[in-house]
Amino acid sequence: MKKKFLQIENAAEEPRVLCIIQDTTNSKTVNERITLNLPASTPVRKLFEDVANKVGYINGTFDLAWGNGVNTADTAPLDHTSDKSLLDANFEPGKKNFLHLTDKDGEQPQMMLEDSSNVDDSMHDRFIGPLPREGSVASTSDYVSQSYSYSSILNKSETGYVGLVNQAMTCYLNSLLQTLFMTPEFRNALYKWEFEESEEDPVTSIPYQLQRLFVLLQTSKKRAIETTDVTRSFGWDSSEAWQQHDVQELCRVMFDALEQKWKQTEQADLINELYQGKLKDYVRCLECGYEGWRIDTYLDIPLVIRPYGSSQAFASVEEALHAFIQPEILDGPNQYFCERCKKKCDARKGLRFLHFPYLLTLQLKRFDFDYTTMHRIKLNDRMSFPEELDMSTFIDIEDEKSPQTESCTDSGAENEGSCHSDQMSNDFSTDDAVDEGICLESSSGTEKISKPGLEKNSLMYELFSVMVHSGSAAGGHYYACIKSFSDEQWYSFNDQHVSRITQEDIKKTHGGSSGSRGYYSSAFASSTNAYMLIYRLKDPTRNAKFLEVDEYPEHIKNLVQKERELEEQEKRQREIERNTCKIKLFCLHPVKQVMMENKLEVHKDKTLKEAVEMAYKMMDLEEVIPLDCCRLVKYDEFHDYLERSYEGEEDTPMGLLLGGVKSTYMFDLLLETRKPDQVFQSYKPGEVMVKVHVVDLKAETVATPITVRAYLNQTVTEFKQLISKATHLAAESMRIVLERCYNDLRLLSVPSKTLKAEGFFRSNKVFVESSETLDHQAAFTDSHLWKLLDRHANTIRLFVLLPEQSPGSYSKRTAYQKAGGDSSNVEDDCERVKGPAGNFKSVDAILEESTEKLKSLSLQQQQQDGDNGDSSKSTETSDFENIESPLNERGSSTSVDNRELEQHIQTSDPENFQSEERSDSDVNNDRSTSSVDSDILSSSHSSDTLCNADSAQIPLANGLDSHSITSSRRTKANEGKKETWDTAEEDSGTDSEYDESGKSRGEMQYMYFKADPYAADEGSGEGHKWLMVHVDKRITLAAFKQHLEPFVGVLSSHFKVFRVYTSNQEFESVRLNETLSSFSDDTKITIRLGRALKKGEYRVKVCQLLVNEQEPCKFLLDAVFAKGMTVRQSKEELIPQLREQCGLDLSIDRFRLRKKTWKNPGTVFLDYHIYEEDINISSNWEVFLEVLDGVEKMKSMSQLAILSKRWRPSEMKLDPFQELVLESNSVDELREKLSEISGIPLEDIEFAKGRGTFPCDISVLDIHQDLDWNPKVSTLNVWPLYICDDGAVIFYRDKTEEVMELTEEQRNELMKKESSRLQKTGHRVTYSPRKEKALKIYLDGAPNKEVAQD
């Protein structure tokens, strides 16, 4: 004993090892950790056992490797059979020991559930995935768990029963299907029905799909099966799975659908034989005893939980059944007119059960409506129900003695839905002999009501199904508790989970809570309670047992075999899927040079050589390149990094190469190709990839990249030697520039520094230059190299569509402002193109005149070029006042396209370049680096001249057929002139970019621009001309437009730039001081002729307001309003435009402008109002133009303009709108004005505010009762009117005027007319709130058909 205590004491003092294990075998579990705190003496094999039990894997099918910052690929896994203690295995007590749980030999771990047959159901619930999930341990009282995974439905429950997968909210369907499956009589009858494939499509056959489902429920080895085939036969789509319905409603609808499908078959009366009962609805006169009655059929009996108006619920089902048949006395005002007495008499009204079905269904009406809160509620009160229910006490015992007559038509007037009539029979049949209810004692269609004594002897029912609802009236969860007739054991069928339960669990579904059953008791009771009960009649002679396998009909045996084969095939497919590696595959097409992407699915046992062949065929390279010129390499697509190659591993299985079969991989594969005369390069793990661009300073080109591989611990000097070998450049004079991220250029200037210290990563981009120039001595940011790389990084390619009317790509603008002189600005230029009448010339006239001038100028310039011999000299020897550079005439035989041209753009009026209207700044900035390489910077197909600050020209290359311009601004200071680069200074918003001495403000930066003609895709239409423009995206929109002037043929102030987005929507770019930084490569731009906006100008859409037209809003034109302009001035400018463009000849006092908010007219603008001061004006602004019938009545902002419309109920029509101008917001003034224009006495005026958007249309059938007439307010600006601005709609009427009486035919005709009228105006006939979707089963499987069961 002393030795034992000593061992315990030593164990308490023994150090412990904290092990934290991360499961890396699955992407879903990689973020989960399990923790074990073990004694240091624990053997390693015991650690493996504990981990296996914890995560649910079979021991020996996984490895454990160190994870304490150690690369697991470089360390051997722990031995799972080792008897070494954790201390001896280098585990550290008192510290965290990190371990990685990994695949063993490239195969994923096997789960215990797959091979363990003795695992109970709770273990199935627990081990849903590789690691235990929170709250996943099941218990018999937990019926609402919804969490499951696909792996959890692959293994059958130990109960032997199969669950049903919840599609989304189909738990109510699952509960009913399981109940029907566990009903022997229904299942056996369904099996006896044989499907004829020649007569019906199996997909839409409800009985056949139920038959298949029942066969799977009986024979499947899965834990749960899908119900999608059944719901598809109902005609449901995926949206129906998200609609939760009432299980009792589903029961009725499904039975109805089955009866329709089973017509003229042996099963035609199955539903009636099993579920249909009969009751009598009677009224008996208390004076003479005369009784009127009718026979109703029912499929279920709805039992009230709590009587109406009562604060106490019924205690039991028996109590509720007694209340169901309890008659009520009709007396006082509710007296009954007796046919025999010929007068109103006191009477007794009630229900009597005549016949109970074999399967008795009781619905507990737990859903009610609370008239206090006006909401649906659920009654959770306790209502007990017995396991055996004696129904003999509820059968009609007076039926034989009662005097009976033919049934009365009014006898069942007040039934309040307590019992529904079966839809298949004639509702409220007056002839007992033709009623379709069928007793089990008889197979004939004739009704036979058994004698009370006989019924009493066989009316003991046993409970076998309880459908439970957990939740509230707004929603919840259904499941079923069902007793098996095979073993008398109760089971819980909760979607995919099936488990054994006890009688105590059934009692928990009675509902309620301990304590008194007060009115509010249900609010604090459990929300999980029985909703539907199904009892079976206890009759040994008729109680059926489930068919045994050898008793199956032949067609069911065939179906079982077919489903078994399908399940085996699915299992084999799952096994293949489980052993298939699925990984992203990339390939750079060797001819098209386009990166292709696909998904490689290869079995883990396939070799690398076989995988290469699969990838080769997948990428369609058979006709492009030989197979031996391809190989697979490990690739990181995100960083564009080649991680490693697999030399000598052609026969290695892919499972080993990829590290096992995983749902996702942290890397990709690249199918690399080579030319036949090339050799594949070896890629080793740990290397970094570097894309090297060689820069030629003289030609100003950046070459396409070549790839080299280096190590992070290499120095810059060693790296230069490596690049020197690859590029054949001198290492001594080499400069290397690393681009770490966009526009972040770093010169590697410290020879001894390592690449890691310089910021190299897995994939890198460098620029190298090795020339003997003085550029080496300049500071890097001042060097020619930096400028060239900066330009390369910021150059984007744009596609510009020129206007069709453009006079060609070689037109020239004709007017500029001379700095320091009195030259005309753009406005003067516009004045010069006015005609004699002062009107502007058309755009065509301007273009024609401009073209003629350009032709003559071009010819003159060609002569000058011939005399001078060098086109560049002309810019130095001549001082152009209006023309800045010579341009060639297209198609001329003396064309000098190969000459280098230079355009000096002079500073125009800065007002033209600053506008505040609208911007595309809402578009995300595209900061992607330019994909432009040497062909952008210097092309053999274009001539390009760049000018620096010293006016020295740097030729890039000679051109052949294209025209390209690099523009620079020119200013004159005193008598000299200086050429400068475009600057980004324009974005500063200052009025001028140059000071008085002509010096540019701030450091100047050249802005690259090059344009070439471009052949667009087919279908762009004749007359369309495209330019491919390479431009520095830091250039301002103003400067960009100036560069485009020669190609458009008009001044930059006379054309607009529209950006085209992926959806082909066009938005105008108008902020001239903003750069093109939001533009990305290959953005499309459309140029349209028209006056561009200046600073303070806004483009405004003008629409005409036609209050009494069917379409009250009509677009007229686009106008330009300016800040500081008065409304009257804008009207004056609109008059000639309205006359010319719209044919409206208006005087300035005969129309008004008013605010437009979508379709609603708003504030009336007065002539003296000033834009931006009195009226807020913004981008995308819209205004209404309203033509006046007379003199403008609105003179002050204190007035209120109301649109009124009279409703004439006696004629069922509405008058046209009339405008009222009120001096105040008084309701009394409104009434007086309405009385004045209508002649209705003031005391008889009633009015209501219109609803919705203008013109607030409403059907004449609804207006009289739907609007809020005559609100009790004294001012218009309070609830419920809230009329605070012009444009409100008021309906008014004479309260003494009666509504016109309409016949049904007139009403229908009027309804059609109103529906047509309101649909044309975009208004609905009536307002209807959202309704719950009705439960329907479509008999032909198509929801758009009319044949459906409701």
Side-chain angles (χ1 to χ4, degrees), residues 23 101 113 135 172 215 362 414 504 512 530 605 710 953 975 1110 1144 1250 1267 1315:
D23 187 350
L101 191 153
L113 295 178
Y172 67 100
V215 165
L362 304 179
E414 293 294 323
E504 288 301 313
D605 296 333
Q953 296 178 351
E975 295 180 359
Q1110 184 173 319
L1144 290 176
L1267 294 183
S1315 178

Side-chain angles (χ1 to χ4, degrees), residues 406-476:
E406 292 299 315
S407 63
C408 302
T409 57
D410 63 344
S411 60
E414 293 294 323
N415 202 13
E416 294 188 358
S418 60
C419 182
H420 65 83
S421 177
D422 183 62
Q423 299 297 317
M424 292 303 298
S425 63
N426 296 324
D427 289 345
F428 304 125
S429 173
T430 57
D431 187 359
D432 194 28
V434 298
D435 190 273
E436 292 186 8
I438 298 172
C439 288
L440 289 177
E441 289 79 7
S442 172
S443 61
S444 68
T446 312
E447 173 62 27
K448 292 185 180 180
I449 301 178
S450 302
K451 293 290 185 282
L454 295 176
E455 288 277 4
K456 283 186 179 183
N457 293 334
S458 57
L459 289 181
M460 186 62 72
Y461 285 82
E462 62 177 326
L463 179 69
F464 79 95
S465 177
V466 180
M467 289 183 223
V468 182
H469 181 267
S470 177
S472 66

Side-chain angles (χ1 to χ4, degrees), residues 813-827:
R813 61 181 178 161
T814 58
Y816 290 98
Q817 177 188 4
K818 290 175 65 178
D822 297 326
S823 296
S824 301
N825 59 14
V826 175
E827 295 299 329

Side-chain angles (χ1 to χ4, degrees), residues 702-750:
V702 178
T704 52
I706 61 171
T707 302
V708 300
R709 296 178 72 84
Y711 289 95
L712 291 176
N713 58 0
Q714 280 182 327
T715 63
V716 172
T717 302
E718 293 170 337
F719 185 52
K720 285 183 178 181
Q721 295 293 337
L722 182 66
I723 293 178
S724 178
K725 291 180 183 178
T727 62
H728 307 293
L729 296 176
E732 296 76 17
S733 58
M734 184 181 294
R735 284 184 292 175
I736 301 179
V737 179
L738 170 66
E739 184 180 86
R740 292 188 295 185
C741 57
Y742 167 68
N743 224 13
D744 180 11
L745 302 173
R746 179 187 182 93
L747 181 67
L748 307 186
S749 56
V750 182

Side-chain angles (χ1 to χ4, degrees), residues 119-122 125 138-143 157-161 223 479-484 487-494 497-506 508:
V119 181
D120 63 11
D121 195 63
S122 64
D125 289 334
S139 65
T140 56
S141 61
D142 181 15
Y143 301 118
S157 165
E158 57 90 23
T159 61
Y161 291 104
R223 181 182 181 82
Y479 62 93
C481 300
I482 305 173
K483 182 174 74 172
S484 170
D487 58 6
E488 299 299 316
Q489 170 66 44
W490 281 91
Y491 296 92
S492 167
F493 291 83
N494 188 0
H497 301 293
V498 184
S499 56
R500 287 190 180 90
I501 55 175
T502 64
Q503 194 64 39
E504 288 301 313
D505 295 314
I506 300 299
K508 292 177 183 177

Side-chain angles (χ1 to χ4, degrees), residues 805-807 843-852 1048-1050 1089:
Q805 300 94 332
S806 175
V843 173
D844 292 337
I846 296 172
L847 294 175
E848 185 178 353
E849 183 179 317
S850 175
T851 306
E852 292 302 322
V1048 181
V1050 296
L1089 297 179

